[in-house]
Amino acid sequence: MKVLVTGGAGYIGGTAVSMLLDAGYSVNVLDDCSTGHADSVDPRATFFNESLLNASAVHNAVAGVDAVLHFSAKSLVGESVSKPDIYWETNVSGTRILLDAMHSASIKKIVFSSTAATYGEPKEIPITEESITNPTNPYGASKLAVDYMITAQAHAYGLAAISLRYFNVAGALKTSRGWQTERHNPETHLIPNVLRATPENPLKVFGEDWPTADGTCIRDYVHVVDLIRAHISALDVATPSTHEIINLGSGGGYSVKEVIASAEKSLGRSVPYLSAPRRAGDPAVLIADISKASRLLSWKPELDLDAMVSDAWKSFSE
Ligand code: UFG
């Protein structure tokens, strides 16, 4: 089976490329390296170093594939508030071009990277796929718009589709070429920032006055390797004319201070941090209900927070 991975030069897409190739798939990659890195693309893949907004490049990249894993997107909440236009353009218009190219080429299967940001400030914890979607930023809104486009495409044209709504992805994959890991610039995510904190440049903990046991925000972390295993299952179970939405997390939550404690175990030293004001747009607690993933994908996460932190640390330091 041949698949196109959009965003295959990025952290999560690049991990998918390596795991798909190891599982025996043939892989095309489409990525313009605007945030990804060409040297992250597994050399066994066929690489189209082109933009998702370039319709003729997308047309070439989908030729001969059986399915698409669509990771390519702008994905920073804060940036989406200050530059919403690029979120609508890349995430919505780009996906429109991809869906049109797939339709023209009669490609009938897609697995889409959606996000917990589609739910917005949750009314209930854990968050199920039936929870209200009320995104609080253009990033979440753009991903929700794509979910609507895909539903319509499934009903109109028989597309087999699964949107996977990620919570907080962490960890790294060890490959024969070295670690496939996150290389964001600027880095905004908690775990890399915890691991790179120094006395001169301490971690900023965004709020210690949240309504949680230790006052810091709680998030649901899932290892990138577990996450991609779920994508490979999704390719198997996607059904024509059906668009399933499935949460991917661990089903449990850790506070910022618990993440720091886990990092201190991996590092064997304390993590320097200071208290900073709350970050705009952060909800206090996000935890996924993952029973639908377990039911439909026969999936459960196997790697815990300590494994995520330890793999991330090895990937940055080895
Ligand atoms: N945090 C800090 N200091 C930092 C970085 C983060 O205290 O330097 C805190 C945040 O305030 C938050 C938690 O750590 O409470 C996790 O923050 P991240 O930036 O790592 O992740 P987010 O929960 O903000 O966002 C992630 C993805 C989004 C996605 C969202 C869905 O980055 O793309 O999960 O839940 F939309």
Side-chain angles (χ1 to χ4, degrees), residues 4-318:
L4 168 65
V5 177
T6 72
Y11 163 48
I12 301 175
T15 303
V17 172
S18 293
M19 289 179 65
L20 285 161
L21 287 161
D22 287 346
Y25 291 82
S26 301
V27 178
N28 283 357
V29 169
L30 178 77
D31 198 308
D32 64 1
C33 296
S34 51
T35 53
H37 306 269
D39 63 4
S40 289
V41 179
D42 193 306
R44 293 172 291 171
T46 304
F47 182 23
F48 297 80
N49 192 337
E50 300 280 359
S51 168
L52 187 64
L53 296 167
N54 176 345
S56 71
V58 177
H59 175 83
N60 292 337
V62 298
V65 309
D66 304 291
V68 175
L69 272 81
H70 181 29
F71 296 92
S72 185
K74 293 284 179 190
S75 63
L76 295 177
V77 168
E79 182 186 59
S80 80
V81 175
S82 57
K83 297 178 187 165
D85 42 344
I86 64 173
Y87 280 71
W88 297 113
E89 185 180 45
T90 302
N91 297 3
V92 179
S93 304
T95 305
R96 187 67 256 147
I97 289 168
L98 175 66
L99 291 173
D100 288 343
M102 288 176 65
H103 183 52
S104 308
S106 298
I107 296 154
K108 297 281 193 187
K109 194 180 283 194
I110 189 166
V111 176
F112 172 58
S113 300
S114 189
T115 169
T118 53
Y119 296 112
E121 182 73 44
K123 297 260 184 308
E124 60 197 357
I125 295 290
I127 298 169
T128 74
E129 293 81 357
E130 276 71 49
S131 296
I132 290 164
T133 45
N134 187 16
T136 51
N137 53 65
Y139 167 58
S142 69
K143 289 282 187 168
L144 185 59
V146 172
D147 280 340
Y148 284 132
M149 290 197 316
I150 291 175
T151 301
Q153 207 87 0
H155 292 161
Y157 304 124
L159 189 66
I162 296 185
S163 288
L164 298 171
R165 289 200 173 146
Y166 309 166
F167 282 63
N168 289 62
V169 186
L173 170 72
K174 177 106 191 227
T175 74
S176 55
R177 300 183 308 121
W179 285 95
Q180 188 86 45
T181 190
E182 48 190 319
R183 293 154 71 190
H184 301 118
N185 184 19
E187 185 52 82
T188 60
H189 294 110
L190 178 64
I191 290 175
N193 284 351
V194 167
L195 292 168
R196 293 192 177 118
T198 61
E200 299 71 38
N201 195 9
L203 174 77
K204 288 184 186 142
V205 173
F206 297 136
E208 292 190 83
D209 57 351
W210 295 94
T212 60
D214 66 17
T216 63
C217 285
I218 293 176
R219 293 288 180 275
D220 182 337
Y221 296 88
V222 59
H223 197 295
V224 67
V225 169
D226 281 331
L227 187 92
I228 300 307
R229 279 198 303 104
H231 287 68
I232 295 174
S233 299
L235 277 176
D236 286 341
V237 307
T239 306
S241 303
T242 306
H243 179 206
E244 294 288 356
I245 299 214
I246 302 177
N247 289 341
L248 291 182
S250 68
Y254 293 96
S255 72
V256 171
K257 287 205 173 149
E258 287 171 325
V259 171
I260 293 173
S262 170
E264 289 178 335
K265 270 194 282 175
S266 273
L267 296 168
R269 60 168 172 80
S270 63
V271 169
Y273 70 87
L274 49 81
S275 193
R278 290 182 179 192
R279 188 172 68 176
D282 270 345
V285 181
L286 290 176
I287 296 175
D289 181 316
I290 56 167
S291 47
K292 189 169 177 185
S294 157
R295 204 170 62 250
L296 292 194
L297 304 178
S298 308
W299 174 85
K300 69 175 170 46
E302 288 169 0
L303 298 162
D304 64 9
L305 180 69
D306 286 345
M308 293 177 225
V309 169
S310 148
D311 286 347
W313 175 238
K314 285 185 214 153
S315 76
F316 298 145
S317 58
E318 282 180 0

